[in-house]
Amino acid sequence: MSKPKLFIPGPVDVAPETYAAMAGPAIGHRGKDFEELYSSIQPGIKKVVGTTRPVFFSTSSAWGIMEGCIRNLVKKKVLNLCCGAFSDKWYGVAQSCGKEAEKIQVEWGQPIDPETVREKLATGGFDTVTLVHNETSTGVLNPLKEISDIVQSFDDVILVVDTVSSLSAMPINFDGLAIDVLLAGVQKAIALPPGLAVFVTSDAALERAAGMDDRGYYFDFCEFAKNDAKDNTPSTPSIPHLYALRERVGVMLEEGLENRFERHLANNAMVHEWGAKHNFELLPPEGFRSRSLSCFITPDNLDQAGWIKSVITEHGFAINGGYGKIKGKTFRISNMGNETQETMQDLFDALDLELPKFLR
Ligand SMILES: *Cc1c(COP(=O)(O)O)cnc(C)c1O
């Protein structure tokens, strides 16, 4: 049986053209062919990130670089801004790396309040802050500009931002914001199969890393920078993923980034309208809602698990039944990647057909 089309907030559905691109020829990664592949992706991916700095490619999931940020950058103490499963986990990862860590914890579904970041940093001792821009578990979009302005006002504090489920779904201007490391996995809005992460570092981040004794090898930011100068990666990368990234970035530029952002916004508005029609309430408050996915509160009279299963078996579409401690209490619909008004409408039709059978 064919697998359902994914409307879960990652991994998302992958275009046949992307799979075809992955079947490119085997090439050695220390030769001219690889250098050409590497450098051919740079101009496009830099536009997506909003930077003139090199974009590094890591053969890992996003967590490789998220842990890498801790190991490369946290000398004194990290402040983790926690508002959901991914941002909360970063605090645990910092501790498991043996670092001193403190957190600001807000209720799941709420955004980070920038003023609390100012107050916490003012207590002193922090050299790094971690922020998840788009908290995929709750559908919260955090106020990136406000938080980055505040972190910038403190000397020698580095800001690390996870844009895993927002990069390429909405404008992000690395060079225009005071961000030191921006990272993303490719299996969310970029719509590649999982297995690659992209990231950008500031000069301050690279300087900090260079002075860290125990930053390891695989995720050593200095190694990435050194190899980038030769259009290369520290170790053998997943070359099929780089073929796929070249293909997808080409498609993004052809569509036009502004058009791509507009399409995500319009598809996201469609999800909100569909939810409003059924009186489904969004978990995050107005003004802090993701544009790439929607997290709804499960009504008491809905057999959510039965409904989701039925939409998969009867229509071949998969949505998600909640993540972490809000599993079963929320459901999430992604509009990331290659979706159109038509594919979103097909999903709503399927959800609507099955819904009455599972309302009590
Ligand atoms: C999916 C996701 C991650 C984790 O990505 P992996 O590829 O599983 O490492 C981290 N942060 C956010 C916001 C995510 O959506």
Side-chain angles (χ1 to χ4, degrees):
M1 207 195 98
S2 69
K3 296 282 185 261
K5 176 175 160 72
L6 300 180
F7 284 94
I8 61 173
V12 306
D13 194 49
V14 176
E17 294 81 3
T18 304
Y19 286 126
M22 295 183 85
I27 55 174
H29 71 294
R30 298 295 186 218
K32 196 96 204 109
D33 290 335
F34 182 82
E35 289 168 21
E36 278 169 22
L37 171 62
Y38 186 101
S39 59
S40 70
I41 305 168
Q42 289 294 328
I45 194 73
K46 284 178 183 177
K47 284 195 183 118
V48 175
V49 178
T51 190
T52 57
R53 301 185 67 83
V55 179
F56 304 140
F57 307 131
S58 168
T59 298
S60 66
S61 82
W63 272 114
I65 299 305
M66 292 166 79
E67 179 171 315
C69 286
I70 302 295
R71 300 193 54 169
N72 278 267
L73 304 171
V74 183
K75 224 169 190 166
K76 292 187 277 183
K77 185 166 61 169
V78 57
L79 174 60
N80 303 108
L81 307 179
C82 302
C83 63
F86 295 104
S87 47
D88 287 13
K89 188 168 167 176
W90 222 342
Y91 173 68
V93 168
Q95 289 174 315
S96 72
C97 289
K99 304 291 184 174
E100 208 182 317
E102 279 189 44
K103 61 177 171 174
I104 290 175
Q105 180 76 60
V106 300
E107 202 188 320
W108 282 29
Q110 294 302 311
I112 301 294
D113 174 359
E115 282 312 311
T116 63
V117 179
R118 189 196 305 280
E119 285 161 23
K120 193 76 178 174
L121 289 179
T123 65
F126 296 98
D127 62 8
T128 310
V129 174
T130 68
L131 171 69
V132 173
H133 181 216
N134 196 63
E135 180 42 89
T136 317
S137 63
T138 62
V140 163
L141 180 66
N142 277 305
L144 174 59
K145 168 100 176 79
E146 288 81 350
I147 293 171
S148 73
D149 282 350
I150 285 171
V151 175
Q152 189 181 24
S153 70
F154 289 85
D155 285 342
D156 303 323
V157 181
I158 272 181
L159 175 62
V160 178
V161 183
D162 162 336
T163 62
V164 175
S165 58
S166 52
L167 187 67
S168 90
M170 62 182 288
I172 294 172
N173 182 2
F174 180 90
D175 289 351
L177 295 165
I179 303 175
D180 291 290
V181 182
L182 177 148
L183 69 102
V186 296
Q187 78 274 27
K188 310 271 168 99
I190 297 175
L192 261 52
L196 189 77
V198 298
F199 69 111
V200 184
T201 54
S202 69
D203 285 333
L206 289 176
E207 270 167 43
R208 173 82 61 81
M212 294 289 289
D213 297 331
D214 50 2
R215 61 186 190 272
Y217 167 68
Y218 195 74
F219 297 112
D220 177 355
F221 291 177
C222 301
E223 283 287 333
F224 279 91
K226 196 174 86 190
N227 282 277
D228 169 80
K230 303 177 285 180
D231 292 324
N232 222 306
T233 50
S235 56
T236 320
S238 171
I239 293 170
H241 274 95
L242 296 179
Y243 284 137
L245 185 60
R246 180 173 66 181
E247 186 272 340
R248 250 330 81 176
V249 166
V251 168
M252 286 182 202
L253 297 186
E254 206 172 298
E255 181 183 10
L257 287 178
E258 285 308 318
N259 295 334
R260 181 182 175 84
F261 301 148
E262 283 300 314
R263 175 168 59 79
H264 277 83
L265 199 57
N267 289 350
N268 187 246
M270 269 179 97
V271 183
H272 290 191
E273 276 164 36
W274 167 85
K277 191 180 83 183
H278 292 290
N279 289 321
F280 291 141
E281 214 182 307
L282 286 159
L283 181 65
E286 178 98 53
F288 300 96
R289 291 171 181 163
S290 166
R291 299 182 190 183
S292 57
L293 73 123
S294 305
C295 182
F296 292 103
I297 299 166
T298 308
D300 290 337
N301 63 342
L302 173 64
D303 168 13
Q304 173 168 297
W307 177 48
I308 291 176
K309 197 165 165 219
S310 184
V311 172
I312 292 175
T313 54
E314 299 301 314
H315 304 273
F317 297 133
I319 66 165
N320 171 274
Y323 191 94
K325 67 183 181 192
I326 51 175
K327 188 177 159 91
K329 296 178 185 141
T330 53
F331 65 93
R332 299 178 302 161
I333 298 175
S334 163
N335 60 277
M336 281 182 255
N338 307 320
E339 303 312 328
T340 64
Q341 304 255 307
E342 290 72 35
T343 62
M344 295 309 297
Q345 190 57 52
D346 290 345
L347 171 67
F348 302 141
D349 291 347
L351 292 170
D352 287 354
L353 267 172
E354 298 309 309
L355 185 62
K357 304 175 194 168
F358 297 94
L359 288 172
R360 291 176 283 240

